[in-house]
Amino acid sequence: MLALRSDFRPRIAASGCVTAFGATEVTHRCLLHGRRALQDVPCLGNAGGDPVPLALVPNRTLDSPVPGSWTDSLNQLRAEIPDAPWGTDRHPVFVTSSNFGAGGLYQFRQSGCSTDLSDSTPFGSVAWIARHMRWGTTVSASSHACVSAHLGLLQASRYLEAGLADRALVFSFDYLSPFVVGGFHALKILNRDWPAPYEDRAGGAVALGDAVAFAILTRDEGDYLLAEQQLYNEMHHFTGNLPSGEGFRQSLAVLATAAAGRQVWCKGHGTGTLDAGKLEAESLRATFPGCPLVGWKGGIGHTLGSCGLVELALVLRSFARGEAPGTVGTSARCFVDEVATKPFSTASYEGAVCLSNAFGGAHAGLLVTHA
Amino acid sequence: MLERFIQSLHVEDVGEESPPDTRERMKTLFPRNSLRRMTQLGLVVGRALAHVQPKREDPLIYVSSYGETRGLEAYLESFPSPSPTLFQTSIHPCGAQQPLVAWQQPLDEFHAMTGDGDLALRGLVTALLAPASRVLLCGGEEKGTWLLAHRLASPRTFAFALALTREPVGDFYGRISLERRHTTRAASADPAVEALPDFFNRLIARQGWTTPVQQDLELTMEWK
């Protein structure tokens, strides 16, 4: 059938991620123990600069070749992706990223060596990954900064809804380089401090991390349901939100309706910035009072365009293991009492609300429930 | 079958016009404080979007292979003291975000897409799959300087915007549809390669287009 059904809700047949800790299970276990994969690294890599907290996947430095240094983590993730003719008509792939291969352009500017230029365009890096992962050519690419992964999930859902696909692979990646680390450091939100998401403290700080993740969406297979997906873009300021918190409230309203009557917990965006963190926490408390709120970027860093998919995989692992990690890196008084700083049992919860935010006042959220 | 009617269309081909000249030409479209910071791509995409008048409930699909080329070049040149402003400007969706932030125009759905030879097709399919009654497809590129010398940028600056509605209203321009074919093509049939500049030329010429999307699925763009 080639038609759109408004009541369609895709299922998640599989998901996984690779972070600086390792694959999904290892990452989940490390977060349960409150571990942090962050290390202080000069923000411009070999060129020096202030030390900032980063979580790089093993065998990578900020100056590692692009995209060659992605291979180990891609191979690790590929081992978790169920076999299927990905990248063909009935099995399309939706790739999302914030930075793609832009680190290669930085390396070129530094070295003047044109061999660094291959695969540095968005589509060039996607083509490289598609070859590496042995996908076909039915591959779409989206890039909307740190809500990118949510675009892939929504587009994949619509392909399934319209009958254009049997299964869809949503794939998201971001690897750090001085290009992006230098940018966040210039914005002053990436600094010498380590993040403490949702903590009511004097100064804000984020950490950044490498990561790659996937989710397989289907019409009727899988233990979890994407019960709602939501996007909202304030377009108020390039890096700030409406101070009133209206953007957060607008974006949460749809999810609140979908979650009505269900016991849910919340995985917030929670980078460690103060203004956005406070707006997010207060909006969540107003919308989902009493529901535990966690953020994991204090452990794995903010994995940029991939964060929505990385953290979705960790949410699903939390349901599967019966325990969700608390907010990593946060121990003192928080903006709201709902912030959970210790692990908690997921047994009594029917679903989770997962949120991401990006430049431009972009909000993306989803409600994932047991199928 | 999924179909949309081309309700409005604007193409913006700046030729060899310089960014300052483009800024001067479009100075009435944007608030002064925003105008001085906008890139040439942001300006031309903004002018195209102004013609289709985005509303919050209209999903916007933005397609660009290279995105903010000049912003990217300038940001890279700013090292070892990277510019925070140029960093913001260099991100992929910024070409469409600039005018929307200037106008303080919120949107529910904003899909920023990238790609190469299949980008126009993927953008059209994404527009056709959006459930809203009206959906906007816009896109563009910005002529590069030193990135162009390395074939990492567009040789041309242009932008376009289409407003696509589920029902025809008044004097519409044309129709885009996605439908099953009765006869399947050979297994090797791939969607036609049509880079964004080629698609832009097609819009200027109001030239029809039929291309396979899958083996048994075809996209058609036809003009009245």
Side-chain angles (χ1 to χ4, degrees), chain B residues 99-167:
Chain B
L100 293 164
V101 170
W103 297 325
Q104 296 286 290
Q105 175 58 59
L107 291 176
D108 285 336
E109 283 193 31
F110 174 44
H111 297 258
M113 301 181 70
T114 184
D116 192 12
D118 61 355
L119 178 57
L121 180 62
R122 303 266 174 237
L124 284 166
V125 172
T126 304
L128 285 164
L129 293 178
S133 59
R134 183 175 187 261
V135 57
L136 308 178
L137 174 68
C138 79
E141 302 289 359
E142 186 176 48
K143 182 178 179 179
T145 60
W146 59 266
L147 281 173
L148 177 58
H150 295 280
R151 298 185 182 179
L152 295 168
S154 168
R156 178 181 180 193
T157 300
F158 63 89
F160 62 86
L162 300 96
L164 307 171
T165 56
R166 181 152 293 154
E167 304 296 333

Side-chain angles (χ1 to χ4, degrees), chain A residues 12-324:
Chain A
I12 305 174
S15 69
C17 65
V18 174
T19 71
F21 284 128
T24 321
E25 183 66 24
V26 173
T27 300
H28 182 256
R29 199 180 317 133
C30 288
L31 293 175
L32 280 176
H33 287 95
R35 287 183 54 196
R36 313 183 82 171
L38 311 178
Q39 293 190 322
D40 287 322
V41 176
C43 65
L44 300 184
N46 291 341
D50 287 344
V52 294
L54 305 180
L56 300 168
V57 294
N59 304 320
R60 277 199 82 242
T61 70
L62 268 191
D63 297 286
S64 291
V66 175
S69 63
W70 305 348
T71 304
D72 288 354
S73 49
L74 288 175
N75 290 346
Q76 205 173 354
L77 191 75
R78 187 166 59 190
E80 292 199 31
I81 301 175
D83 282 338
W86 299 118
T88 60
D89 281 357
R90 306 300 302 172
H91 294 77
V93 179
F94 297 83
V95 177
T96 71
S97 178
S98 179
N99 294 286
F100 295 98
L105 296 176
Y106 171 84
Q107 290 173 350
F108 166 69
R109 285 292 298 184
Q110 297 301 303
S111 69
C113 175
S114 60
T115 55
D116 287 340
L117 289 178
S118 60
D119 316 311
S120 57
T121 61
F123 54 85
S125 63
V126 171
W128 186 91
I129 287 177
R131 287 193 300 274
H132 185 83
M133 304 297 271
R134 300 182 200 121
W135 298 334
T137 56
T138 306
V139 179
S140 300
S142 294
S143 181
H144 187 183
C146 305
V147 299
S148 296
H150 291 261
L151 298 187
L153 288 168
L154 185 59
Q155 290 169 16
S157 301
R158 288 183 177 161
Y159 266 65
L160 291 164
E161 180 180 8
L164 298 185
D166 297 325
R167 305 179 117 206
L169 172 61
V170 185
F171 179 94
S172 196
F173 72 102
D174 253 304
Y175 292 93
L176 302 179
S177 70
F179 178 96
V180 63
V181 174
F184 275 95
H185 180 255
L187 288 169
K188 302 190 190 308
I189 54 175
L190 179 65
N191 51 51
R192 289 169 183 263
D193 290 338
W194 284 26
Y198 307 121
E199 189 173 295
D200 189 2
R201 62 179 188 166
V206 307
L208 301 181
D210 286 339
V212 57
F214 80 95
I216 291 172
L217 302 193
T218 75
R219 278 194 287 274
D220 49 16
E221 306 164 48
D223 294 336
Y224 300 99
L225 194 70
L226 269 180
E228 189 59 88
Q229 299 179 71
Q230 164 279 328
L231 300 173
Y232 179 69
N233 297 270
E234 297 177 10
M235 300 294 182
H236 167 67
H237 188 272
F238 285 106
T239 54
N241 295 104
L242 285 160
S244 64
E246 182 61 21
F248 287 91
R249 286 194 292 277
Q250 290 280 347
S251 65
L252 289 175
V254 174
L255 297 174
T257 302
R262 291 185 170 113
Q263 183 88 353
V264 299
W265 54 283
C266 302
K267 189 289 300 167
H269 188 57
T271 59
T273 58
L274 292 186
D275 292 345
K278 188 174 185 186
L279 289 173
E280 183 186 36
E282 291 180 344
S283 302
L284 278 165
R285 178 176 59 178
T287 312
F288 299 100
C291 298
L293 165 62
V294 297
W296 299 323
K297 292 181 173 75
I300 57 176
H302 181 359
T303 64
L304 304 171
S306 73
C307 73
L309 211 51
V310 170
E311 294 169 13
L312 174 61
L314 294 169
V315 164
L316 299 186
R317 191 57 56 111
S318 298
F319 277 121
R321 293 288 176 261
E323 194 174 23

